[in-house]
Protein backbone atom coordinates (compact mmCIF):
# COMPACT_ATOMS: atom_id res chain seq x y z
CA UNK A 1 0.00 0.00 0.00
CA UNK A 2 2.90 2.33 0.73
CA UNK A 3 4.19 1.97 -2.84
CA UNK A 4 0.83 2.91 -4.28
CA UNK A 5 0.78 6.03 -2.14
CA UNK A 6 4.27 6.95 -3.29
CA UNK A 7 3.31 6.41 -6.94
CA UNK A 8 0.30 8.69 -6.52
CA UNK A 9 2.42 11.68 -5.42
CA UNK A 10 2.30 14.56 -7.87
CA UNK A 11 5.17 16.28 -9.62
CA UNK A 12 4.40 19.01 -12.19
CA UNK A 13 0.73 17.93 -12.18
CA UNK A 14 1.62 14.30 -13.01
CA UNK A 15 1.78 11.30 -10.74
CA UNK A 16 5.09 9.57 -10.20
CA UNK A 17 3.55 6.61 -12.01
CA UNK A 18 3.15 8.78 -15.13
CA UNK A 19 6.76 9.94 -14.81
CA UNK A 20 7.94 6.32 -14.55
CA UNK A 21 5.94 5.42 -17.64
CA UNK A 22 7.45 8.40 -19.47
CA UNK A 23 10.95 7.36 -18.35
CA UNK A 24 10.32 3.78 -19.51
CA UNK A 25 9.05 5.05 -22.87
CA UNK A 26 12.18 7.20 -23.19
CA UNK A 27 14.50 4.26 -22.44
CA UNK A 28 12.67 1.90 -24.81
CA UNK A 29 12.54 4.49 -27.60
CA UNK A 30 16.23 5.32 -27.21
CA UNK A 31 17.17 1.65 -27.23
CA UNK A 32 15.10 0.95 -30.33
CA UNK A 33 16.43 4.00 -32.18
CA UNK A 34 20.03 3.15 -31.26
CA UNK A 35 19.62 -0.44 -32.44
CA UNK A 36 17.94 0.66 -35.67
CA UNK A 37 20.77 3.09 -36.37
CA UNK A 38 23.42 0.44 -35.75
CA UNK A 39 21.55 -2.17 -37.76
CA UNK A 40 21.07 0.19 -40.71
CA UNK A 41 24.71 1.27 -40.68
CA UNK A 42 25.92 -2.34 -40.46
CA UNK A 43 23.53 -3.81 -43.03
CA UNK A 44 23.83 -0.97 -45.52
CA UNK A 45 27.61 -0.93 -45.07
CA UNK A 46 27.79 -4.66 -45.81
CA UNK A 47 25.47 -4.24 -48.80
CA UNK A 48 27.51 -1.29 -50.06
CA UNK A 49 30.68 -3.40 -49.98
CA UNK A 50 29.03 -6.05 -52.19
CA UNK A 51 27.36 -3.80 -54.77
CA UNK A 52 28.30 -0.94 -57.04
CA UNK A 53 25.02 0.88 -56.32
CA UNK A 54 25.66 4.29 -54.76
CA UNK A 55 22.31 4.54 -52.97
CA UNK A 56 23.29 1.97 -50.35
CA UNK A 57 26.65 3.70 -49.90
CA UNK A 58 24.84 6.98 -49.25
CA UNK A 59 22.36 5.28 -46.90
CA UNK A 60 25.19 3.73 -44.88
CA UNK A 61 26.97 7.06 -44.65
CA UNK A 62 23.83 8.85 -43.51
CA UNK A 63 23.14 6.15 -40.90
CA UNK A 64 26.70 6.52 -39.60
CA UNK A 65 26.29 10.29 -39.40
CA UNK A 66 23.11 10.11 -37.30
CA UNK A 67 24.16 11.50 -33.93
CA UNK A 68 23.27 10.29 -30.47
CA UNK A 69 21.84 13.68 -29.45
CA UNK A 70 19.31 13.34 -32.27
CA UNK A 71 18.25 9.92 -31.00
CA UNK A 72 18.00 11.29 -27.45
CA UNK A 73 15.84 14.20 -28.67
CA UNK A 74 13.45 11.85 -30.45
CA UNK A 75 13.29 9.61 -27.36
CA UNK A 76 12.58 12.65 -25.16
CA UNK A 77 9.74 13.59 -27.51
CA UNK A 78 8.32 10.07 -27.17
CA UNK A 79 8.65 10.11 -23.38
CA UNK A 80 7.14 13.58 -23.08
CA UNK A 81 3.92 12.36 -24.68
CA UNK A 82 3.17 10.32 -21.55
CA UNK A 83 3.09 13.31 -19.19
CA UNK A 84 1.18 16.58 -19.24
CA UNK A 85 3.85 19.28 -19.12
CA UNK A 86 3.13 22.93 -18.37
CA UNK A 87 2.47 24.82 -21.57
CA UNK A 88 5.63 26.92 -21.41
CA UNK A 89 7.81 23.88 -20.72
CA UNK A 90 6.14 21.90 -23.52
CA UNK A 91 6.67 24.76 -25.99
CA UNK A 92 10.32 25.10 -25.00
CA UNK A 93 10.83 21.35 -25.33
CA UNK A 94 9.16 21.28 -28.75
CA UNK A 95 11.35 24.13 -29.98
CA UNK A 96 14.52 22.51 -28.66
CA UNK A 97 13.63 19.20 -30.32
CA UNK A 98 12.84 20.99 -33.58
CA UNK A 99 16.22 22.73 -33.47
CA UNK A 100 18.01 19.43 -32.89
CA UNK A 101 16.10 17.80 -35.74
CA UNK A 102 17.01 20.67 -38.08
CA UNK A 103 20.65 20.39 -37.06
CA UNK A 104 20.62 16.65 -37.77
CA UNK A 105 18.95 17.21 -41.14
CA UNK A 106 21.71 19.72 -41.93
CA UNK A 107 24.32 17.10 -41.03
CA UNK A 108 22.59 14.58 -43.28
CA UNK A 109 22.53 17.15 -46.09
CA UNK A 110 26.22 17.86 -45.59
CA UNK A 111 26.93 14.12 -45.69
CA UNK A 112 24.97 13.82 -48.94
CA UNK A 113 26.81 16.71 -50.53
CA UNK A 114 30.20 15.39 -49.38
CA UNK A 115 29.29 11.95 -50.71
CA UNK A 116 28.32 13.38 -54.09
CA UNK A 117 31.45 15.54 -54.34
CA UNK A 118 33.72 12.62 -53.40
CA UNK A 119 32.10 10.37 -56.04
CA UNK A 120 32.29 13.16 -58.63
CA UNK A 121 35.99 13.74 -57.95
CA UNK A 122 36.63 9.99 -58.11
CA UNK A 123 34.89 9.71 -61.49
CA UNK A 124 36.79 12.73 -62.83
CA UNK A 125 40.08 11.28 -61.62
CA UNK A 126 39.32 7.95 -63.32
CA UNK A 127 38.42 9.78 -66.54
CA UNK A 128 41.61 11.85 -66.43
CA UNK A 129 43.76 8.79 -65.75
CA UNK A 130 42.15 6.98 -68.67
CA UNK A 131 42.71 9.96 -71.00
CA UNK A 132 46.31 10.34 -69.80
CA UNK A 133 46.97 6.65 -70.47
CA UNK A 134 45.54 7.08 -73.97
CA UNK A 135 47.67 10.21 -74.58
CA UNK A 136 50.87 8.45 -73.51
CA UNK A 137 50.42 5.72 -76.14
Amino acid sequence: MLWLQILDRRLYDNSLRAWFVAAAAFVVALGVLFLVRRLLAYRLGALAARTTNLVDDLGAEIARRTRLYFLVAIAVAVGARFVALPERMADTLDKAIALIVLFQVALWGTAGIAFYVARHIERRRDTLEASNAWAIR
Side-chain angles (χ1 to χ4, degrees), residues 59-82:
E61 183 64 25
I62 286 175
R64 279 192 288 272
R65 295 240 183 149
T66 301
R67 299 292 176 229
L68 182 61
Y69 57 79
F70 173 70
L71 301 180
V72 168
I74 299 301
V76 165
V78 169
R81 300 300 171 226
F82 290 91

Side-chain angles (χ1 to χ4, degrees), residues 97-129:
I97 290 171
L99 184 64
I100 291 171
V101 168
L102 287 175
F103 189 66
Q104 181 61 55
V105 168
L107 287 176
W108 286 334
T110 302
I113 292 169
F115 180 81
Y116 171 76
V117 168
R119 297 296 179 228
H120 182 72
I121 290 171
E122 185 178 308
R123 268 189 278 139
R124 295 274 303 194
R125 186 178 306 135
D126 291 344
T127 304
L128 289 174
E129 287 175 1

Side-chain angles (χ1 to χ4, degrees), residues 16-54:
L16 285 180
R17 183 176 298 149
W19 285 105
F20 284 134
V21 169
F26 167 79
V27 169
V28 169
L30 184 60
V32 167
L33 289 169
F34 186 76
L35 288 175
V36 166
R37 179 186 71 169
R38 284 191 61 158
L39 184 65
L40 278 175
Y42 174 74
R43 293 283 186 166
L44 288 175
L47 182 64
R50 291 191 315 259
T51 64
T52 58
N53 188 356
L54 297 179

